[in-house]
Amino acid sequence: GAIEITGEGGFDNLYFDGVSQGLTRYWGFRATADKTIGKNLNGTLFAEYRQDTLLEQTPEDRQNSYTMGGRLDYVFYKDYSLNSSYTFRKLTADRSSNDFDEHLASLAVTTPFFDNDYSFSAGYSYRKQNADLAEDSLEDHEIFFKFTAEKEIL
């Protein structure tokens, strides 16, 4: 198993539902623990905190994001795997109208190709957001396809 703790800070352009919220100054940290649970089963747990100060809003709005979750990977043939994950995120802000809880669950199959330098995932994800001041929650379902390159090109 392995434990990793990282931190970062800087400036970013923050997006919410595809709409730019403007320039933000941020800092945060993330802790991740990976463990081999069985012969073909690996597990990951993570927790993350991030604070954003939205600089282009008057007065500046500060947002705190708390995220935690886990993932299980079951290797069923060579490097082919079945992945399931769950993530919970809570966002609180100086302006409480921006507060929400988010649940994201996904199930996917991943297959490597070209000597494990690339991988392809296909799966299903479900997301639900509960805004503190909204009457209705947002739910969406998504079938996804993802291509990943794990080799340095340059």
Side-chain angles (χ1 to χ4, degrees), residues 44-143:
T44 302
L45 294 174
F46 64 89
E48 181 175 345
Y49 171 79
R50 177 172 163 151
Q51 182 181 86
D52 286 276
T53 303
L54 284 78
L55 302 173
E56 295 178 12
Q57 294 185 4
T58 307
E60 292 179 349
D61 186 18
R62 183 166 304 152
Q63 296 180 347
N64 297 294
S65 177
Y66 308 88
T67 307
M68 64 180 65
R71 176 182 169 117
L72 289 173
D73 295 296
Y74 176 71
V75 179
F76 58 89
Y77 176 73
K78 294 187 181 180
D79 290 326
Y80 294 77
S81 61
L82 177 65
N83 326 105
S84 65
S85 66
Y86 171 77
T87 302
F88 171 76
R89 180 175 165 223
K90 181 170 191 66
L91 185 123
T92 61
D94 290 344
R95 298 180 186 171
S96 62
S97 63
N98 294 339
D99 293 359
F100 69 87
D101 294 346
E102 179 179 58
H103 302 269
L104 176 62
S106 67
L107 182 64
V109 174
T110 302
T111 177
F113 55 97
F114 296 124
D115 295 326
N116 292 332
D117 290 334
Y118 304 93
S119 66
F120 176 77
S121 296
Y124 168 79
S125 68
Y126 169 76
R127 181 176 69 157
K128 181 175 183 178
Q129 286 183 345
N130 299 313
D132 285 352
L133 299 178
E135 294 179 12
D136 297 323
S137 61
L138 166 75
E139 288 188 53
D140 75 27
H141 305 263
E142 177 180 74
I143 294 174

Side-chain angles (χ1 to χ4, degrees), residues 14-53:
L14 193 63
Y15 287 86
F16 182 75
D17 280 345
V19 177
S20 174
Q21 303 297 304
L23 185 65
T24 178
R25 180 179 60 241
Y26 74 94
W27 66 272
F29 61 88
R30 180 178 177 97
T32 305
D34 295 313
K35 176 83 172 141
T36 300
I37 300 169
K39 181 180 176 186
N40 297 330
L41 186 63
N42 298 311
T44 302
L45 294 174
F46 64 89
E48 181 175 345
Y49 171 79
R50 177 172 163 151
Q51 182 181 86
D52 286 276
T53 303

